[in-house]
Amino acid sequence: MRKRMKIIWYHPSMDAQCWLTGVARRLPDAEIRLWQPGDDACADYAIVRSPPVEMLAGRSLKGLFAMGAGVDELLQQQRQHPDRLSDQVPLYRLEDTGMAQQMQEYANWCVLGWYRRFADYQRQQQARCWQPLPLPARDTFTIGVLGAGVLGRSVLESLQQWGFPLRCWSRTPKTLPGVHAFHGDAALHDFLAGCQVVIDLLPATPETTDLINADFLRALPHGAHFLNLARGAHVVEADLLAALNSGQLAAAALDVFQQEPLPADDALWQHPHVTITPHSAAITLPEQAMDAIASAIQQLEKGQQPPGRVDRQRGY
Ligand code: NDP
Ligand code: OXD
């Protein structure tokens, strides 16, 4: 009799039953179970978010699936426990699965709000002030996206309709229609000079940690705007706050932070030019994520290579 493939699942907050039944429906040949402490029975695949080290320790899985786009937490865990977690297990992440549209929505809302000065109008409304405000020339309102991967490219595509100059910055060269592409550390300051809006869609890796610091912020034009849709680890928050206080940054919208949840006494909460959301820019949509993961497992079972494989060396 053919051995049934075994899948273990863990997420600290998502509805386990929805996933267990959803994956079982898509993979009728599989046995899927909620991993619980003490469970070291065999498994072929694991589907995880923020798993305890014990769940994956000593396992040589055929595939490890992250229930998100970023895998920084899993790779960090691996670096901290190299003796317990195998770096040979193929690691896969979610590519888009409905997150690209959510990122487009957030980015367009911010860009248009900043361009059309809606926060200024809100302040004027509070003062019962009737005063039309001048707008910057559209062709000077340059928007730069850090990262030109699945989500960065999608956000750039969605911004094309407004006619703003668009830029991207990535590790390797890119050719994207209608986008001035920069790549590599040496080109970062050229990319930043002239950006009225910077949108962060980079992965968190050792190279991108603390990238957005005083030096980075000084390279922007005075009064620029910053949107972080990616990871808090990219930002030196004291430098960001100083740039907001000095007016070097006119505004920031922040979905992610060095420490999450953002501590109640953090100065960012109260800042008049900061918008905060609780790491919800693009959430994992279970149905689409399950479709992608189940399809990837089927491909692996057939000896094929599914999309979304993480390059552990590169860190994303
Ligand atoms: P991708 O891996 O598809 O894209 C990453 C991009 O970043 C690539 O263009 C890559 O360059 C570039 N990059 C990586 N390292 C560097 C570097 N050192 N210098 C310059 N460019 C670099 O990722 P996604 O677009 O799918 O996701 C991006 C990130 O968004 C995730 O890693 C995650 O952290 C975050 N995220 C946040 C969510 C939220 O709710 N806040 C939800 C989902 C994702 P190259 O193309 O040359 O390799
Ligand atoms: C992700 C996230 O990486 O939710 O998917 O941040």
Side-chain angles (χ1 to χ4, degrees), residues 5 8 20 79 121 134 139 143 148 152 167 192 204 211 219 224 256 264 286:
M5 85 174 95
I8 46 177
L20 298 181
R79 282 192 286 272
Y121 281 122
D139 61 0
I143 299 160
R167 294 181 180 183
L192 294 172
L211 176 79
V256 284

Side-chain angles (χ1 to χ4, degrees), residues 2-22:
R2 212 168 125 230
K3 190 175 141 270
R4 295 186 83 194
M5 85 174 95
K6 296 189 170 45
I7 304 173
I8 46 177
W9 184 95
Y10 178 88
H11 193 293
S13 57
M14 264 194 184
D15 178 359
Q17 210 43 52
C18 152
W19 273 82
L20 298 181
T21 52

Side-chain angles (χ1 to χ4, degrees), residues 258-285:
Q258 288 275 359
Q259 189 183 335
E260 295 180 5
L262 184 64
D265 61 354
D266 196 294
L268 288 168
W269 279 115
Q270 296 291 339
H271 201 286
H273 301 303
V274 173
T275 301
I276 287 176
T277 49
H279 198 143
S280 53
I283 60 165
T284 297
L285 301 176

Side-chain angles (χ1 to χ4, degrees), residues 31-263:
E31 272 171 28
I32 177 163
R33 66 182 189 271
L34 171 65
W35 181 86
Q36 288 174 314
D39 173 357
D40 56 5
C42 77
D44 302 294
Y45 298 98
I47 303 174
V48 300
R49 181 87 177 226
S50 307
V53 177
E54 300 69 51
M55 176 181 183
L56 303 176
R59 291 191 187 274
S60 51
L61 301 161
K62 292 198 251 177
L64 171 60
F65 291 89
M67 279 181 267
V71 287
D72 40 300
E73 198 186 8
L74 284 169
L75 293 179
Q76 173 72 4
Q77 204 174 43
Q78 159 77 53
R79 282 192 286 272
Q80 283 167 349
H81 302 279
D83 47 328
R84 302 184 68 199
L85 301 175
S86 165
D87 59 2
Q88 300 303 308
V89 172
L91 171 60
Y92 298 88
R93 70 187 191 94
L94 294 178
E95 289 188 331
D96 186 356
T97 60
M99 285 185 270
Q101 184 181 344
Q102 299 174 67
M103 290 300 191
Q104 291 180 349
E105 291 161 355
Y106 200 137
N108 279 267
W109 176 73
C110 282
V111 166
L112 294 180
W114 286 328
Y115 178 65
R116 295 295 306 269
R117 305 186 58 178
F118 288 131
D120 291 333
Y121 281 122
Q122 223 157 29
R123 280 186 280 275
Q124 288 194 175
Q125 182 178 344
Q126 271 149 23
R128 297 166 189 246
C129 167
W130 182 275
Q131 178 61 57
L133 298 170
L135 294 185
R138 189 174 294 268
D139 61 0
T140 63
F141 201 74
T142 300
I143 299 160
V145 178
L146 298 165
V150 174
L151 301 176
R153 281 198 311 271
S154 163
V155 162
L156 282 160
E157 264 168 43
S158 72
L159 289 168
Q160 297 271 6
Q161 62 185 308
W162 308 115
F164 302 122
L166 300 178
R167 294 181 180 183
C168 68
W169 181 70
S170 52
R171 203 176 47 81
T172 57
K174 296 280 177 283
T175 308
L176 302 176
V179 179
H180 186 174
F182 297 73
H183 71 276
D185 293 344
L188 180 60
H189 279 213
D190 286 345
F191 162 83
L192 294 172
C195 279
Q196 297 297 331
V197 176
V198 172
I199 301 174
D200 182 5
L201 274 167
L202 290 167
T205 66
E207 288 73 34
T208 60
T209 301
D210 292 344
L211 176 79
I212 298 155
N213 54 23
D215 184 45
F216 177 107
L217 294 163
R218 255 194 313 271
L220 289 167
H222 188 78
H225 308 78
F226 173 60
L227 167 57
N228 194 354
L229 298 173
R231 285 292 183 266
H234 297 159
V235 180
V236 178
E237 285 175 2
D239 293 356
L240 180 75
L241 206 51
L244 284 159
N245 289 336
S246 72
Q248 172 62 10
L249 274 187
L254 308 171
D255 183 56
V256 284
F257 300 87
Q258 288 275 359
Q259 189 183 335
E260 295 180 5
L262 184 64

